[in-house]
Amino acid sequence: MIEQLKHHIERFVPMDEDTFLNVQAGFQQQSFRKKENILTEGQICKMHYFVLKGILRKFFVNDKGVEQTTEFAIENWWMTDSFSFMNRTPASFCIQAVETAEVLAIRRDDFDSLLEAVPAMEKYFRCVFQKAYAAAQMRIRYHYEHSREALYHHFRESQPEFLQRVPQYLIASYLGFTPEYLSEIRRKSIS
Amino acid sequence: MIEQLKHHIERFVPMDEDTFLNVQAGFQQQSFRKKENILTEGQICKMHYFVLKGILRKFFVNDKGVEQTTEFAIENWWMTDSFSFMNRTPASFCIQAVETAEVLAIRRDDFDSLLEAVPAMEKYFRCVFQKAYAAAQMRIRYHYEHSREALYHHFRESQPEFLQRVPQYLIASYLGFTPEYLSEIRRKSIS
């Protein structure tokens, strides 16, 4: 399954078999059960995860005790608590498997060693973060621009795969709805 | 003034004088007047800007014709329309100088050549984008977590410099307030 990471890297930089052996050495494959907690707010996030199969979600618990989902990662996406991973500070987010998941995980020290040993990975991660940052800027625009109902329709059109795979209460949590409000919007859009 | 970019690069990677001559060659220095438009939505964003002095802002015009500010960049920050710059597609944002500004600008082709010629710049930009992405994720959390009034107080505590330098109507635009609502919050927090 590690070939999947090689294919993803090759979207951005050429990667021969020998170099990839070096890359591969830094990763460990991990499996998570549905709803298994991978990171809890306040812990140091020691890993950067590449999703091979399944879905992870990132969330925080708001002051009413409600889990607020801020991000999903499906196959070929990276997920971590970025500041916690970079600065070895307590995490601001929790990470959980939405469904059974297989990931490749890399520790912070191995991440640094990998970038040192394989300069092509600097380019790869520069591209990954540049794209993720661009997407976050667009997302901030959507949050300003659209009503929450329009956000649901935008999400439904742009990410139909998520809507089929992710339970409704998590979609509601991501969009900042109550599950009841989401049901109401869905009823309206079907009728 | 170009030394300022060298200092910023050296926060992330070592950079000797000779290598920096190569870096420098890709940039041109530009000046903008207060309120000068640097990029208009729909144009191709050809430049990535590094702010030497002054403030830039990024905004879009919403369907009510109101300018909605989504980002500011002060000294030592980078700003561009990321997707437009990366993919040479029409920009989703406008960029404008808030006050008289001096920037270093690099064209897309020169950006690619620079990364090719000076591999240390891959690491530098990997770090810049990784940090910017981490900050955007925290910002998305704040948007979910806090009332708009709390966002103002958070902004006031975390970015006091902005509040002194940026006109009130732009702070209101950034926070998604009407200027009247912002005045009301400020009155309450003073009294």
Side-chain angles (χ1 to χ4, degrees), chain B residues 5-171:
Chain B
L5 175 60
K6 185 165 184 285
H7 293 316
H8 195 255
I9 293 170
E10 283 171 333
R11 285 196 210 167
F12 302 96
V13 288
M15 175 71 34
D16 60 52
E17 284 298 337
D18 281 352
T19 312
F20 188 65
L21 285 177
N22 267 329
V23 173
Q24 187 171 341
F27 287 89
Q28 48 189 284
Q29 194 165 331
Q30 296 184 341
S31 305
F32 299 110
R33 296 182 313 280
K34 186 175 176 172
K35 293 204 179 182
E36 185 170 343
N37 291 319
I38 300 170
L39 174 73
T40 304
E41 197 173 331
Q43 287 180 335
I44 310 293
C45 180
K46 292 182 179 153
M47 295 289 195
H48 203 170
Y49 300 100
F50 178 79
V51 181
L52 294 170
K53 199 171 156 27
I55 305 181
L56 309 185
R57 74 175 177 116
K58 195 189 271 182
F59 65 94
F60 67 92
V61 179
N62 70 18
D63 55 9
K64 291 177 187 121
V66 175
E67 291 181 1
Q68 173 66 62
T69 302
T70 61
E71 224 177 302
F72 293 104
I74 57 168
E75 288 78 13
N76 295 334
W77 290 26
W78 287 90
M79 182 172 270
T80 188
D81 183 305
S82 303
F83 276 126
S84 177
F85 181 75
M86 284 193 292
N87 305 331
R88 304 177 205 264
T89 47
S92 304
F93 296 94
C94 306
I95 298 178
Q96 194 186 59
V98 173
E99 52 185 43
T100 311
E102 290 287 330
V103 305
L104 291 173
I106 187 163
R107 292 188 172 276
R108 176 56 208 276
D109 291 342
D110 294 331
F111 184 75
D112 291 347
S113 308
L114 172 63
L115 293 170
E116 200 69 40
V118 186
M121 292 302 282
E122 285 285 7
K123 188 186 190 69
Y124 169 69
F125 279 111
R126 191 261 302 163
C127 295
V128 164
F129 291 129
Q130 187 173 13
K131 220 172 135 183
Y133 176 49
Q137 288 177 309
M138 285 307 290
R139 184 157 165 216
I140 288 169
R141 174 177 168 152
Y142 291 133
H143 271 267
Y144 278 110
E145 194 171 17
H146 296 297
S147 69
R148 299 197 298 174
E149 188 166 338
L151 275 178
Y152 169 74
H153 294 298
H154 172 77
F155 192 61
R156 197 177 60 164
E157 280 154 33
S158 62
Q159 313 275 1
E161 198 185 344
F162 274 116
L163 248 68
Q164 287 178 344
R165 289 174 62 183
V166 173
Q168 287 302 312
Y169 77 96
L170 289 182
I171 299 287

Side-chain angles (χ1 to χ4, degrees), chain A residues 71 92 137 141 144 174, chain B residues 71 82 92 137 141 144 174:
Chain A
E71 224 177 302
S92 304
Q137 288 177 309
R141 173 175 169 154
Y144 278 111
Y174 177 74
Chain B
E71 224 177 302
S82 303
S92 304
Q137 288 177 309
R141 174 177 168 152
Y144 278 110
Y174 177 74

Side-chain angles (χ1 to χ4, degrees), chain A residues 56-113:
Chain A
L56 308 185
R57 73 175 176 117
K58 196 188 269 182
F59 64 95
F60 67 91
V61 179
N62 70 19
D63 55 10
K64 290 179 188 119
V66 176
E67 291 181 1
Q68 175 66 63
T69 302
T70 61
E71 224 177 302
F72 293 104
I74 57 167
E75 289 79 13
N76 295 334
W77 289 27
W78 287 92
M79 182 172 270
T80 189
D81 183 304
S82 303
F83 276 126
S84 176
F85 181 74
M86 284 192 295
N87 305 331
R88 303 176 206 262
T89 48
S92 304
F93 296 95
C94 306
I95 299 179
Q96 194 187 58
V98 173
E99 51 184 45
T100 310
E102 289 287 329
V103 305
L104 291 172
I106 187 163
R107 290 187 174 277
R108 176 56 207 281
D109 292 341
D110 294 330
F111 184 75
D112 291 348
S113 308

